[in-house]
Amino acid sequence: MNTESELAGKVAIVTGGSRGIGLGISRELAVAGARVAVVAMNAERTGAAAAGLHGEGHAAYSCDVSDGAACRETVASVVEAQGPVSILVNNAGIARDGLLLRMSGDDWSRVIETNLRGAFNMIQAVARGMIRKRSGSIVNVSSVVGLMGNAGQANYAASKAGLHGLTKSVAKELARRKVRCNAVAPGYIETDMTAGLDESAVGKLSARIPAGRLGKPSDVAGLVRFLAGSGASYITGQIIAVDGGMAM
Ligand code: NAP
């Protein structure tokens, strides 16, 4: 199949699509022919990201995914302006790291509300339309930390492990309606989220990764594009690591 037309005519929502992994995914889906709705908090960055995508028909939406009403309004705006949604990528995420005994309740809640509740909010907002069309692909961006746990990231790991349960439950509920739901679990990827790591930390991390390097947003985006497209039509409920072999 010609990769430039693989997703032609499809509307894709990418949350957190304004930078990092989400921007990589927005770019990849646009190159494959989708009309992308870039959803993030910062309006300026979100607008610039949508404007820079390959092709036409993309748009930017400023929305806090932890706010259910805002998600419903955003999805309604996307459907009105761009058409029915075929692809939802729940990529928006934050980290508020700290050791368990020092972690504040606020840091716990904010991470769960954004990373897990945010995905629930967006899935609920798009599901009816996908069921009606008997077609849809939902991809949740999780983390290997959701599979392995990580000291200093109890909130983040719990949110990502929660995404795995959400992914499998949605997959089971919606499979008969031809709506698929999968998760990708990146390892360490070079973005703003990991920009604080100094050279020695990157060196130590790389030594733990069989591929010997951190990943790039494009490493994750290629898998998301595959899961979004018809080549993955018999794949649902899966958690697929993109981590250079780290979580084997
Ligand atoms: P990033 O560079 O920090 O970008 C985060 C994105 O999420 C931004 O577009 C941000 O928008 C958006 N966002 C944050 N809170 C939001 C909210 N409440 N509502 C809507 N949008 C919100 O992060 P990243 O490294 O690309 O990570 C993307 C995803 O991959 C996250 O789910 C993360 O947990 C996961 N992940 C990352 C890594 C890694 O090593 N980088 C590894 C495993 C998994 P604004 O700019 O407008 O705030």
Side-chain angles (χ1 to χ4, degrees), residues 15-16 19 39-41 63-68 71 89-96 106-123 140-141 155-156 158-160 163 166 193:
T15 72
R19 54 194 172 96
V39 173
M41 300 266 269
C63 166
D64 178 349
V65 295
S66 68
D67 178 341
C71 290
V89 183
N90 284 310
N91 163 83
I94 57 167
R96 296 279 183 276
D106 273 357
D107 282 348
W108 171 268
S109 301
R110 191 64 206 143
V111 167
I112 300 288
E113 287 289 304
T114 302
N115 299 5
L116 183 54
R117 175 80 192 264
F120 162 76
N121 287 337
M122 290 299 296
I123 291 171
N140 296 320
V141 179
N155 50 359
Y156 184 80
S159 74
K160 297 301 189 181
L163 267 183
L166 176 67
M193 200 177 260

